[in-house]
Amino acid sequence: MPQRGRFITLEGGEGVGKSTNVAFVAGWLEAQGLEVVRTREPGGTPLAESIRALLLATTFDEPLDTDAELLLMFAARAQHLAEKIEPALSRGAWVVCDRFTDATFAYQGGGRGIDPARIATLERFVQKGLAPDLTLLLDMPPEASAERLAGRMRTQNTHLDRFEREQAAFFSAVRGAYLERAKAEPERFAVIDAARPLDQVQQVLEQVLSERVAPWR
Ligand code: Z5A
């Protein structure tokens, strides 16, 4: 049987550079000769991407109930785990995922105010003990990342999704919840200052990967 792969997640607020750095991390691991599966949440499979579209939509006339939002996040996650993440890890591939359950604790817990104990119950039910081996938390003040996103919106003509329409207090609560989780689990998390220029962020990522990945090979 092949050695089980490792599960690496990138987390952080909106526009901190997760997608950009998922590509960097995956490329770095591939250069070490590893098979890498890149993916994201909510989403990652056709069905889970359909749930993502529901979660981000701004076109419904009714507000999305916070418990419904939480359950949709975990429904998408259950599908993603069954169809993509578990099969990849079992065949020995490494999975690099743009957001995972820490985002649920940050957004639905910190942002929406859902009791973390209720989220933890769903986490156990859906993940059956599975957790990331390493979480790279890209941290920066939400005001600064909002400026980055405004720049992207101007150049790429994108619109704000349902989460991006939230107010500043929501994003500070999200950041606070992420930092609390990182403090509680320092062996799993690496907190990276994402406000620096991209080449400096990637130098730090490379250093963290070199230190953390070597003992697993
Ligand atoms: N959500 C949730 O509520 N609960 C959950 O359990 C999960 C998710 C899993 C969609 O996620 C929403 O789902 C999310 C939380 C919620 N909503 N929000 N907000 P998403 O991951 O798609 O959302 P996002 O954070 O808005 O993604 P994003 O806008 O694509 O941001 P990003 O991936 O972190 O950033 P990026 O695209 O890599 O970079 C943004 C721009 O900055 C881009 O132009 C880059 O070239 C530039 N960039 C990147 N790094 C730098 C540096 N260092 N300097 C300068 N410029 C940079």
Side-chain angles (χ1 to χ4, degrees), residues 126-173:
V126 168
Q127 292 167 222
K128 304 170 186 76
L130 180 123
D133 295 292
L134 170 64
T135 297
L136 303 161
L137 174 58
L138 298 173
D139 176 60
M140 68 190 280
E143 308 76 45
S145 57
E147 265 171 43
R148 263 188 205 169
L149 282 182
R152 190 176 65 181
M153 275 175 64
R154 275 193 299 276
T155 52
Q156 297 178 10
N157 202 21
T158 51
H159 73 284
L160 293 178
D161 67 37
R162 202 171 54 80
F163 288 96
E164 289 165 347
R165 291 178 183 205
E166 290 294 338
Q167 302 302 309
F170 178 87
F171 294 112
S172 322

Short mmCIF file of all heavy atoms in Angstrom, two decimals, residues 126-173:
data_model
loop_
_atom_site.label_atom_id
_atom_site.label_comp_id
_atom_site.label_asym_id
_atom_site.label_seq_id
_atom_site.Cartn_x
_atom_site.Cartn_y
_atom_site.Cartn_z
N VAL A 126 -18.49 14.82 9.93
CA VAL A 126 -18.14 14.81 8.49
C VAL A 126 -16.71 14.31 8.27
O VAL A 126 -16.44 13.57 7.32
CB VAL A 126 -18.34 16.22 7.89
CG1 VAL A 126 -17.73 16.34 6.51
CG2 VAL A 126 -19.83 16.56 7.85
N GLN A 127 -15.78 14.70 9.14
CA GLN A 127 -14.37 14.44 8.84
C GLN A 127 -13.85 13.15 9.48
O GLN A 127 -12.79 12.66 9.09
CB GLN A 127 -13.51 15.63 9.27
CG GLN A 127 -13.80 16.83 8.40
CD GLN A 127 -13.25 18.14 8.92
OE1 GLN A 127 -13.93 19.15 8.86
NE2 GLN A 127 -12.04 18.14 9.45
N LYS A 128 -14.58 12.63 10.43
CA LYS A 128 -14.21 11.35 11.07
C LYS A 128 -12.73 11.33 11.47
O LYS A 128 -12.00 10.38 11.19
CB LYS A 128 -14.53 10.19 10.13
CG LYS A 128 -15.99 10.17 9.70
CD LYS A 128 -16.24 9.17 8.59
CE LYS A 128 -17.65 9.24 8.05
NZ LYS A 128 -17.90 10.39 7.16
N GLY A 129 -12.27 12.42 12.05
CA GLY A 129 -10.88 12.46 12.55
C GLY A 129 -9.89 13.08 11.57
O GLY A 129 -8.76 13.37 11.96
N LEU A 130 -10.28 13.25 10.32
CA LEU A 130 -9.33 13.84 9.37
C LEU A 130 -9.10 15.33 9.66
O LEU A 130 -10.07 16.07 9.89
CB LEU A 130 -9.82 13.68 7.92
CG LEU A 130 -8.84 14.30 6.92
CD1 LEU A 130 -8.36 13.28 5.90
CD2 LEU A 130 -9.42 15.51 6.22
N ALA A 131 -7.85 15.76 9.67
CA ALA A 131 -7.52 17.18 9.88
C ALA A 131 -6.29 17.49 9.03
O ALA A 131 -5.53 16.59 8.69
CB ALA A 131 -7.22 17.43 11.35
N PRO A 132 -6.09 18.76 8.68
CA PRO A 132 -4.88 19.09 7.92
C PRO A 132 -3.61 18.76 8.71
O PRO A 132 -3.59 18.85 9.94
CB PRO A 132 -5.01 20.61 7.72
CG PRO A 132 -6.45 20.93 7.93
CD PRO A 132 -6.95 19.92 8.93
N ASP A 133 -2.55 18.39 7.98
CA ASP A 133 -1.25 18.18 8.62
C ASP A 133 -0.55 19.51 8.86
O ASP A 133 0.23 19.65 9.79
CB ASP A 133 -0.37 17.30 7.72
CG ASP A 133 -0.95 15.91 7.55
OD1 ASP A 133 -0.97 15.17 8.55
OD2 ASP A 133 -1.43 15.58 6.45
N LEU A 134 -0.80 20.46 7.96
CA LEU A 134 -0.17 21.78 8.06
C LEU A 134 -1.15 22.82 7.54
O LEU A 134 -1.77 22.62 6.49
CB LEU A 134 1.11 21.80 7.20
CG LEU A 134 1.78 23.16 6.99
CD1 LEU A 134 2.30 23.73 8.32
CD2 LEU A 134 2.97 23.02 6.01
N THR A 135 -1.30 23.91 8.29
CA THR A 135 -2.17 25.02 7.85
C THR A 135 -1.35 26.30 7.79
O THR A 135 -0.76 26.71 8.79
CB THR A 135 -3.38 25.16 8.80
OG1 THR A 135 -4.14 23.95 8.72
CG2 THR A 135 -4.26 26.33 8.41
N LEU A 136 -1.30 26.88 6.59
CA LEU A 136 -0.57 28.12 6.37
C LEU A 136 -1.57 29.25 6.46
O LEU A 136 -2.42 29.40 5.57
CB LEU A 136 0.10 28.06 4.99
CG LEU A 136 1.05 26.86 4.79
CD1 LEU A 136 1.32 26.60 3.32
CD2 LEU A 136 2.36 27.08 5.55
N LEU A 137 -1.50 30.00 7.55
CA LEU A 137 -2.47 31.10 7.75
C LEU A 137 -1.84 32.40 7.25
O LEU A 137 -0.86 32.90 7.82
CB LEU A 137 -2.84 31.21 9.23
CG LEU A 137 -3.73 32.40 9.62
CD1 LEU A 137 -5.04 32.40 8.85
CD2 LEU A 137 -4.02 32.39 11.13
N LEU A 138 -2.39 32.93 6.16
CA LEU A 138 -1.91 34.19 5.59
C LEU A 138 -2.67 35.31 6.30
O LEU A 138 -3.88 35.45 6.13
CB LEU A 138 -2.17 34.21 4.08
CG LEU A 138 -1.43 33.11 3.30
CD1 LEU A 138 -1.86 33.09 1.84
CD2 LEU A 138 0.08 33.29 3.39
N ASP A 139 -1.94 36.05 7.10
CA ASP A 139 -2.61 37.02 7.97
C ASP A 139 -2.28 38.46 7.56
O ASP A 139 -1.11 38.79 7.34
CB ASP A 139 -2.15 36.78 9.42
CG ASP A 139 -2.73 37.82 10.36
OD1 ASP A 139 -3.98 37.90 10.43
OD2 ASP A 139 -1.95 38.57 10.97
N MET A 140 -3.31 39.28 7.48
CA MET A 140 -3.11 40.73 7.30
C MET A 140 -4.37 41.46 7.71
O MET A 140 -5.45 40.87 7.77
CB MET A 140 -2.71 41.06 5.85
CG MET A 140 -3.77 40.85 4.81
SD MET A 140 -3.11 40.99 3.12
CE MET A 140 -3.05 42.75 2.91
N PRO A 141 -4.25 42.76 8.05
CA PRO A 141 -5.44 43.50 8.45
C PRO A 141 -6.46 43.52 7.31
O PRO A 141 -6.09 43.71 6.14
CB PRO A 141 -4.93 44.91 8.73
CG PRO A 141 -3.45 44.77 8.89
CD PRO A 141 -3.04 43.58 8.08
N PRO A 142 -7.75 43.32 7.63
CA PRO A 142 -8.77 43.24 6.56
C PRO A 142 -8.85 44.51 5.71
O PRO A 142 -9.15 44.43 4.53
CB PRO A 142 -10.08 43.01 7.31
CG PRO A 142 -9.77 42.84 8.74
CD PRO A 142 -8.30 43.04 8.96
N GLU A 143 -8.53 45.68 6.31
CA GLU A 143 -8.61 46.92 5.51
C GLU A 143 -7.61 46.85 4.35
O GLU A 143 -7.91 47.30 3.24
CB GLU A 143 -8.26 48.16 6.35
CG GLU A 143 -9.03 48.31 7.67
CD GLU A 143 -8.54 47.37 8.77
OE1 GLU A 143 -7.32 47.24 8.95
OE2 GLU A 143 -9.39 46.75 9.46
N ALA A 144 -6.44 46.28 4.63
CA ALA A 144 -5.40 46.22 3.59
C ALA A 144 -5.78 45.23 2.50
O ALA A 144 -5.57 45.49 1.31
CB ALA A 144 -4.07 45.84 4.23
N SER A 145 -6.37 44.08 2.89
CA SER A 145 -6.72 43.11 1.84
C SER A 145 -7.91 43.62 1.03
O SER A 145 -8.02 43.34 -0.17
CB SER A 145 -6.99 41.72 2.43
OG SER A 145 -7.98 41.77 3.39
N ALA A 146 -8.79 44.41 1.67
CA ALA A 146 -9.93 44.98 0.92
C ALA A 146 -9.41 45.90 -0.18
O ALA A 146 -9.95 45.94 -1.29
CB ALA A 146 -10.84 45.75 1.87
N GLU A 147 -8.30 46.61 0.10
CA GLU A 147 -7.70 47.49 -0.93
C GLU A 147 -7.19 46.67 -2.10
O GLU A 147 -7.36 47.03 -3.26
CB GLU A 147 -6.53 48.26 -0.33
CG GLU A 147 -6.92 49.64 0.16
CD GLU A 147 -5.79 50.28 0.94
OE1 GLU A 147 -4.62 50.21 0.51
OE2 GLU A 147 -6.10 50.85 2.00
N ARG A 148 -6.57 45.52 -1.78
CA ARG A 148 -6.07 44.65 -2.85
C ARG A 148 -7.22 44.17 -3.73
O ARG A 148 -7.13 44.14 -4.94
CB ARG A 148 -5.44 43.39 -2.24
CG ARG A 148 -3.97 43.48 -2.09
CD ARG A 148 -3.44 42.11 -1.66
NE ARG A 148 -2.19 42.31 -0.96
CZ ARG A 148 -1.57 41.37 -0.28
NH1 ARG A 148 -2.08 40.16 -0.17
NH2 ARG A 148 -0.43 41.63 0.31
N LEU A 149 -8.32 43.79 -3.06
CA LEU A 149 -9.47 43.27 -3.82
C LEU A 149 -10.09 44.36 -4.67
O LEU A 149 -10.54 44.10 -5.79
CB LEU A 149 -10.51 42.68 -2.88
CG LEU A 149 -10.17 41.30 -2.34
CD1 LEU A 149 -11.28 40.79 -1.46
CD2 LEU A 149 -9.91 40.31 -3.48
N ALA A 150 -10.11 45.59 -4.14
CA ALA A 150 -10.67 46.70 -4.91
C ALA A 150 -9.85 46.88 -6.18
O ALA A 150 -10.40 47.10 -7.27
CB ALA A 150 -10.68 47.97 -4.07
N GLY A 151 -8.52 46.74 -6.06
CA GLY A 151 -7.64 46.85 -7.22
C GLY A 151 -7.97 45.76 -8.23
O GLY A 151 -8.08 46.01 -9.43
N ARG A 152 -8.18 44.53 -7.74
CA ARG A 152 -8.49 43.42 -8.64
C ARG A 152 -9.84 43.64 -9.33
O ARG A 152 -10.00 43.34 -10.50
CB ARG A 152 -8.51 42.10 -7.86
CG ARG A 152 -8.58 40.90 -8.77
CD ARG A 152 -8.49 39.59 -8.03
NE ARG A 152 -9.61 39.37 -7.14
CZ ARG A 152 -9.75 38.30 -6.37
NH1 ARG A 152 -8.81 37.37 -6.35
NH2 ARG A 152 -10.80 38.16 -5.59
N MET A 153 -10.82 44.17 -8.53
CA MET A 153 -12.15 44.41 -9.13
C MET A 153 -12.07 45.42 -10.26
O MET A 153 -12.74 45.28 -11.28
CB MET A 153 -13.12 44.91 -8.07
CG MET A 153 -13.77 43.78 -7.30
SD MET A 153 -14.78 44.42 -6.00
CE MET A 153 -16.01 45.28 -6.89
N ARG A 154 -11.21 46.45 -10.05
CA ARG A 154 -11.09 47.49 -11.09
C ARG A 154 -10.48 46.89 -12.36
O ARG A 154 -10.96 47.12 -13.46
CB ARG A 154 -10.22 48.64 -10.59
CG ARG A 154 -11.00 49.68 -9.78
CD ARG A 154 -10.19 50.94 -9.59
NE ARG A 154 -8.95 50.71 -8.87
CZ ARG A 154 -8.86 50.67 -7.53
NH1 ARG A 154 -9.92 50.86 -6.78
NH2 ARG A 154 -7.70 50.43 -6.93
N THR A 155 -9.42 46.05 -12.17
CA THR A 155 -8.72 45.56 -13.38
C THR A 155 -9.47 44.40 -14.03
O THR A 155 -9.46 44.26 -15.23
CB THR A 155 -7.28 45.12 -13.05
OG1 THR A 155 -7.35 44.20 -11.95
CG2 THR A 155 -6.40 46.29 -12.67
N GLN A 156 -10.15 43.57 -13.21
CA GLN A 156 -10.79 42.37 -13.81
C GLN A 156 -12.30 42.48 -13.90
O GLN A 156 -12.98 41.56 -14.33
CB GLN A 156 -10.41 41.11 -13.01
CG GLN A 156 -8.92 40.85 -13.06
CD GLN A 156 -8.52 39.64 -12.23
OE1 GLN A 156 -9.37 38.88 -11.77
NE2 GLN A 156 -7.24 39.46 -12.04
N ASN A 157 -12.84 43.59 -13.45
CA ASN A 157 -14.27 43.85 -13.56
C ASN A 157 -15.13 42.76 -12.89
O ASN A 157 -16.14 42.32 -13.44
CB ASN A 157 -14.63 43.97 -15.05
CG ASN A 157 -15.91 44.75 -15.23
OD1 ASN A 157 -16.30 45.50 -14.33
ND2 ASN A 157 -16.57 44.58 -16.37
N THR A 158 -14.69 42.28 -11.67
CA THR A 158 -15.47 41.27 -10.95
C THR A 158 -16.46 41.98 -10.01
O THR A 158 -16.34 43.17 -9.76
CB THR A 158 -14.54 40.36 -10.11
OG1 THR A 158 -13.70 41.20 -9.33
CG2 THR A 158 -13.71 39.46 -10.98
N HIS A 159 -17.45 41.22 -9.46
CA HIS A 159 -18.39 41.84 -8.53
C HIS A 159 -18.21 41.21 -7.14
O HIS A 159 -17.57 40.17 -7.00
CB HIS A 159 -19.83 41.66 -9.03
CG HIS A 159 -20.31 40.26 -8.88
ND1 HIS A 159 -19.91 39.25 -9.73
CD2 HIS A 159 -21.12 39.67 -7.96
CE1 HIS A 159 -20.47 38.11 -9.34
NE2 HIS A 159 -21.20 38.33 -8.28
N LEU A 160 -18.79 41.85 -6.11
CA LEU A 160 -18.65 41.34 -4.74
C LEU A 160 -19.61 40.17 -4.52
O LEU A 160 -20.80 40.27 -4.83
CB LEU A 160 -19.01 42.45 -3.74
CG LEU A 160 -18.07 43.65 -3.69
CD1 LEU A 160 -18.60 44.68 -2.69
CD2 LEU A 160 -16.66 43.22 -3.28
N ASP A 161 -19.08 39.05 -3.94
CA ASP A 161 -19.98 37.93 -3.62
C ASP A 161 -20.65 38.19 -2.26
O ASP A 161 -20.44 39.23 -1.64
CB ASP A 161 -19.24 36.58 -3.70
CG ASP A 161 -18.19 36.40 -2.62
OD1 ASP A 161 -18.41 36.86 -1.47
OD2 ASP A 161 -17.15 35.77 -2.90
N ARG A 162 -21.46 37.20 -1.81
CA ARG A 162 -22.28 37.42 -0.61
C ARG A 162 -21.42 37.68 0.63
O ARG A 162 -21.80 38.45 1.51
CB ARG A 162 -23.19 36.20 -0.40
CG ARG A 162 -24.43 36.46 0.46
CD ARG A 162 -25.36 35.26 0.42
NE ARG A 162 -24.69 34.05 0.79
CZ ARG A 162 -24.43 33.69 2.06
NH1 ARG A 162 -24.85 34.43 3.06
NH2 ARG A 162 -23.78 32.58 2.31
N PHE A 163 -20.25 37.02 0.72
CA PHE A 163 -19.38 37.25 1.88
C PHE A 163 -18.66 38.59 1.76
O PHE A 163 -18.51 39.31 2.75
CB PHE A 163 -18.37 36.11 2.02
CG PHE A 163 -19.00 34.83 2.48
CD1 PHE A 163 -19.39 33.85 1.58
CD2 PHE A 163 -19.24 34.61 3.83
CE1 PHE A 163 -19.99 32.68 2.00
CE2 PHE A 163 -19.85 33.44 4.27
CZ PHE A 163 -20.22 32.47 3.34
N GLU A 164 -18.22 38.90 0.57
CA GLU A 164 -17.44 40.13 0.37
C GLU A 164 -18.28 41.38 0.64
O GLU A 164 -17.75 42.47 0.80
CB GLU A 164 -16.86 40.16 -1.05
CG GLU A 164 -15.74 39.14 -1.24
CD GLU A 164 -15.39 38.86 -2.68
OE1 GLU A 164 -16.14 39.26 -3.59
OE2 GLU A 164 -14.36 38.19 -2.91
N ARG A 165 -19.63 41.22 0.70
CA ARG A 165 -20.50 42.37 1.01
C ARG A 165 -20.62 42.65 2.50
O ARG A 165 -21.31 43.58 2.90
CB ARG A 165 -21.89 42.11 0.42
CG ARG A 165 -21.85 42.15 -1.09
CD ARG A 165 -23.18 41.85 -1.72
NE ARG A 165 -22.99 41.85 -3.17
CZ ARG A 165 -23.92 42.07 -4.06
NH1 ARG A 165 -25.16 42.32 -3.66
NH2 ARG A 165 -23.66 42.06 -5.35
N GLU A 166 -20.01 41.78 3.33
CA GLU A 166 -20.09 41.99 4.79
C GLU A 166 -19.33 43.26 5.20
O GLU A 166 -18.50 43.78 4.45
CB GLU A 166 -19.49 40.78 5.52
CG GLU A 166 -20.32 39.52 5.42
CD GLU A 166 -21.68 39.64 6.12
OE1 GLU A 166 -21.83 40.50 7.03
OE2 GLU A 166 -22.58 38.87 5.75
N GLN A 167 -19.59 43.71 6.45
CA GLN A 167 -18.99 44.95 6.95
C GLN A 167 -17.65 44.65 7.65
O GLN A 167 -17.32 43.50 7.95
CB GLN A 167 -19.95 45.62 7.97
CG GLN A 167 -21.31 45.95 7.40
CD GLN A 167 -21.21 46.88 6.18
OE1 GLN A 167 -20.56 47.91 6.25
NE2 GLN A 167 -21.84 46.50 5.07
N ALA A 168 -16.93 45.76 7.97
CA ALA A 168 -15.58 45.64 8.56
C ALA A 168 -15.57 44.80 9.84
O ALA A 168 -14.65 44.01 10.06
CB ALA A 168 -15.03 47.04 8.83
N ALA A 169 -16.61 44.94 10.69
CA ALA A 169 -16.62 44.22 11.98
C ALA A 169 -16.63 42.71 11.74
O ALA A 169 -16.02 41.94 12.50
CB ALA A 169 -17.84 44.63 12.79
N PHE A 170 -17.32 42.28 10.70
CA PHE A 170 -17.38 40.86 10.35
C PHE A 170 -15.96 40.35 10.04
O PHE A 170 -15.51 39.33 10.57
CB PHE A 170 -18.30 40.66 9.14
CG PHE A 170 -18.41 39.25 8.64
CD1 PHE A 170 -19.35 38.38 9.18
CD2 PHE A 170 -17.59 38.78 7.62
CE1 PHE A 170 -19.47 37.06 8.71
CE2 PHE A 170 -17.70 37.48 7.15
CZ PHE A 170 -18.63 36.62 7.69
N PHE A 171 -15.23 41.10 9.23
CA PHE A 171 -13.90 40.64 8.81
C PHE A 171 -12.89 40.71 9.96
O PHE A 171 -11.98 39.88 10.02
CB PHE A 171 -13.41 41.43 7.58
CG PHE A 171 -14.26 41.15 6.37
CD1 PHE A 171 -15.07 42.13 5.82
CD2 PHE A 171 -14.29 39.88 5.82
CE1 PHE A 171 -15.88 41.85 4.73
CE2 PHE A 171 -15.10 39.58 4.72
CZ PHE A 171 -15.89 40.58 4.17
N SER A 172 -13.06 41.67 10.89
CA SER A 172 -12.16 41.66 12.06
C SER A 172 -12.45 40.46 12.93
O SER A 172 -11.52 39.86 13.49
CB SER A 172 -12.33 42.84 13.00
OG SER A 172 -12.55 43.95 12.40
N ALA A 173 -13.74 40.08 13.07
CA ALA A 173 -14.07 38.91 13.89
C ALA A 173 -13.51 37.64 13.23
O ALA A 173 -13.01 36.74 13.92
CB ALA A 173 -15.59 38.80 14.04
#
